[in-house]
Amino acid sequence: MLNRLAPALFVVLWSTGWVVAKYADLFADPLTFLVLRYSVAVVLFYLVCRFSGVSWPRSREAVIHAVVSGMFLHGLYLGMVWWAIGQGVPAALSGIIAGLQPLMTGIAAAFLIGEALSGTQRFGLVLGFAGIAIAVLPNVLALDAGAIPLYAVAINVLAMACVTIGTIYQKRFLKEGDLRAVATLQYVGALIVTVPAAVAFENLHVEWVFGLFAALAWSVLGISMGAIALLLYLIRRGDVSKAASLIYLVPPLAALEAALFFGEKLTLSMILGTAVVVVGVYLTNRKADRTSR
């Protein structure tokens, strides 16, 4: 049952990250909010491990690998994306940049860990990115390019490279160990990156109101614990290209959520692009699914 539901649950939970980022920005600086989020996640994951009798990694190498993967997957990736959005990168543009990750992961996995992709899977990755472009490119073209800071766009692109490295690193060096213990150590790694960045680049502004606690609760329970646990599970049980291809579904779904919660316009191109994305993800995953049977 988990094998069947995990991909869909991951996409739904992960897609809310863009909505939460936009909402949380009303109450706290982006990196400062992430420090709060990661700190709470570390405490909760530790308590889960403590009372569940989870075995911690026994070797120093395993601990280091978990911390380093967290630095890339959470600290650098999310930190850069949230900071870029806070600097003025629109969600539509950030979404299409996010669509680069599955392509980057598929190419890098072939060279670094020998993960072979069939012609159908390669076509699925390209088709998925084309669907992302169809869905959000009209919104990007309608933006005032002069109002978007190029340095922030560059940071957003660099974030995609970091999550690609983190995903492959996770697959190569963290093949064993309880995922709850791994997640705890990964958020320690995230704090190692995010705390100094928040101190260096922000005023550590926080408004301690109900909206902040609501955003923090969902960020920790829904995304940091729920979505990330599912992502680690998907990476461990399958190809990294297969897990990464699910990211294609996130921007269109995030656009739908933005339309529901913030009144942003849902266009025909978004609907058509989403349909193309679904086909691309299906093609990317089809071979692996048949092989596992």
Side-chain angles (χ1 to χ4, degrees), residues 42-272:
V42 166
V43 172
L44 292 182
F45 263 118
Y46 174 78
L47 292 175
V48 169
C49 294
R50 176 74 173 174
F51 292 105
S52 300
V54 170
S55 298
W56 293 89
R58 297 182 179 180
S59 67
R60 179 188 301 178
E61 290 77 11
V63 172
I64 292 175
H65 287 322
V67 171
V68 171
S69 67
M71 293 172 69
F72 280 100
L73 284 174
H74 308 309
L76 293 173
Y77 165 56
L78 276 185
M80 288 179 177
V81 170
W82 281 51
W83 185 83
I85 292 176
Q87 294 298 305
V89 175
L93 180 57
S94 182
I96 197 171
I97 293 174
L100 293 171
Q101 190 220 330
L103 279 177
M104 294 170 64
T105 301
I107 295 172
F111 287 99
L112 298 179
I113 58 177
E115 186 175 285
L117 295 176
S118 67
T120 300
Q121 289 176 309
R122 289 194 293 268
F123 177 70
L125 286 174
V126 175
L127 190 63
F129 181 73
I132 292 283
I134 293 172
V136 303
L137 192 56
N139 288 344
V140 173
L141 295 177
L143 298 171
D144 181 6
I148 305 174
L150 294 179
Y151 67 88
V153 174
I155 292 297
N156 208 147
V157 173
L158 184 59
M160 294 307 105
C162 289
V163 73
T164 298
I165 294 171
T167 301
I168 294 176
Y169 191 95
Q170 165 86 21
K171 179 67 175 181
R172 183 169 183 177
F173 295 108
L174 291 171
K175 298 179 180 180
E176 299 178 352
D178 193 287
L179 290 177
R180 291 164 292 183
V182 170
T184 305
L185 294 171
Q186 284 183 328
Y187 283 118
V188 172
L191 285 172
I192 291 174
V193 172
T194 312
V195 170
V199 172
F201 297 111
E202 295 180 346
N203 296 321
L204 306 180
H205 167 72
V206 178
E207 295 182 15
W208 301 99
V209 296
F210 175 79
L212 172 76
F213 291 105
L216 188 62
W218 179 252
S219 294
V220 173
L221 299 176
I223 303 175
S224 292
M225 299 190 75
I228 293 300
L230 289 169
L231 177 60
L232 298 182
Y233 172 77
L234 290 168
I235 291 174
R236 179 167 291 185
R237 67 175 286 267
D239 298 338
V240 293
S241 299
K242 176 181 176 181
S245 70
L246 296 172
I247 302 297
Y248 279 145
L249 295 168
V250 171
L253 188 55
L256 176 60
E257 292 165 358
L260 292 174
F261 295 106
F262 294 103
E264 296 186 5
K265 187 177 180 180
L266 187 63
T267 64
L268 179 61
S269 64
M270 291 182 184
I271 298 173
L272 294 176

